[in-house]
């Protein structure tokens, strides 16, 4: 069973449980709608070796995107009844700034630089979908704790474009190479609500297994295939932390500010280079690392159905 089928099954089962609880216990169904705007700052780095054994040299090429900033819009819907709830979120953003370096070496341990480029990554997109079906296992007057399985899919498209203008000597004609980062995370999390009068605090920690895949296009390399010049595949781990401050304007309208941090790291994997009129060439993909800092603001609209 693939990830999409599993997520759909979890959603259907949780929905059935909620409907059954609602009919039998005549409880209140609560629904929350949460539109938001966020600024994301991403750092992504990967390196490959000269061959599949990780030698000749152990680091042949090293790419690093730093301070890739994106403006992100999204929405979240939460439905809860009794001890059960389910949360679904979708967001989409466009990149407006960032830097990328591409450095190649002929000797081990990043020695013997034979190619060095410092470029811009000021265009691109980022998309995210996540589903958290949760169970409220602890409730007191001011504190509530939830545990849940976590499912998250992220797709981030990054570019390598000129950082200088056309009249500069380092300008590269028609440069627009790209890198598509794709990740799926299956894990678990813990969420805590704490509230006092009009103020409340929400914290969340998620951890899970990372399934990393990527592809890239070296658009100026005539010896490579296009639009997919290479691909990556590896597994690793993901951890995320969120803290959200809320102010309750009314019983049904809440404004909030949130800070979140995400770290994803893959273990060693495979880099496959697709060459024109030749068999694909496989090399060792060294550890891939992605970090994300996000600042988010929005409102929450609440309603109940008796």
């Amino acid at each position: 069973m693939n990830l999409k089928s599993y997520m759909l099954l979890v959603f259907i089962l949780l929905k059935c449980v909620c409907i059954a609880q609602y009919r039998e216990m005549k409880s209140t169904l609560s629904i929350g709608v949460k539109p938001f705007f966020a600024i994301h700052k991403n750092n992504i780095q990967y390196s490959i070796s000269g061959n599949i054994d990780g030698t000749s040299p152990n680091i042949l090429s090293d790419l690093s995107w730093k301070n890739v900033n994106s403006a992100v819009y999204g929405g979240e819907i939460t439905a809860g009844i009794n001890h059960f709830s389910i949360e679904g979120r979708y967001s989409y953003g466009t990149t407006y700034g960032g830097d990328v370096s591409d450095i190649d070496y002929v000797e081990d341990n990043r020695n013997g630089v034979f190619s060095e480029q410092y470029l811009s990554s000021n265009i691109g997109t980022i998309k995210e979908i996540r589903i958290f079906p949760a169970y409220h296992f602890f409730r007191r007057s001011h504190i509530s704790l939830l545990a849940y399985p976590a499912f998250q899919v992220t797709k981030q498209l990054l570019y390598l474009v000129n950082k200088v203008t056309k009249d500069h000597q380092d300008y590269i004609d028609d440069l627009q190479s790209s890198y598509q980062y794709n990740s799926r995370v299956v894990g678990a999390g813990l969420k805590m609500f704490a509230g006092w009068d009009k103020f409340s605090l929400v914290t969340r920690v998620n951890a899970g297994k990372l399934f990393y895949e990527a592809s890239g296009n070296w658009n100026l390399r005539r010896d490579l295939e296009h639009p997919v010049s290479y691909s990556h595949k590896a597994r690793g781990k993901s951890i995320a932390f969120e803290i959200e401050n809320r102010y309750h304007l009314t019983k049904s309208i809440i404004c909030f500010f949130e800070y979140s941090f995400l770290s994803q790291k893959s273990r060693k994997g495979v880099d496959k280079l697709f060459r024109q009129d030749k068999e694909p060439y496989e090399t060792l993909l060294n550890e891939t690392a992605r970090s994300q800092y996000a600042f988010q603001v929005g409102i929450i609209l609440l309603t109940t159905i008796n």
Side-chain angles (χ1 to χ4, degrees), residues 122-138:
N122 59 3
I123 56 175
T125 60
I126 182 169
K127 305 173 186 176
E128 181 184 283
I129 297 174
R130 73 185 197 186
I131 298 177
F132 297 158
Y135 179 74
H136 298 243
F137 66 91
F138 179 85

Side-chain angles (χ1 to χ4, degrees), residues 24 26 56 109 137 139 167 180 244 247 262 267 295 303:
E24 293 178 9
K26 296 183 180 180
S56 302
N109 303 319
F137 66 91
R139 280 180 173 173
D167 56 353
Q180 175 72 59
E244 179 181 307
Y247 179 74
L262 169 71
R267 298 185 293 272
F295 299 91
T303 188

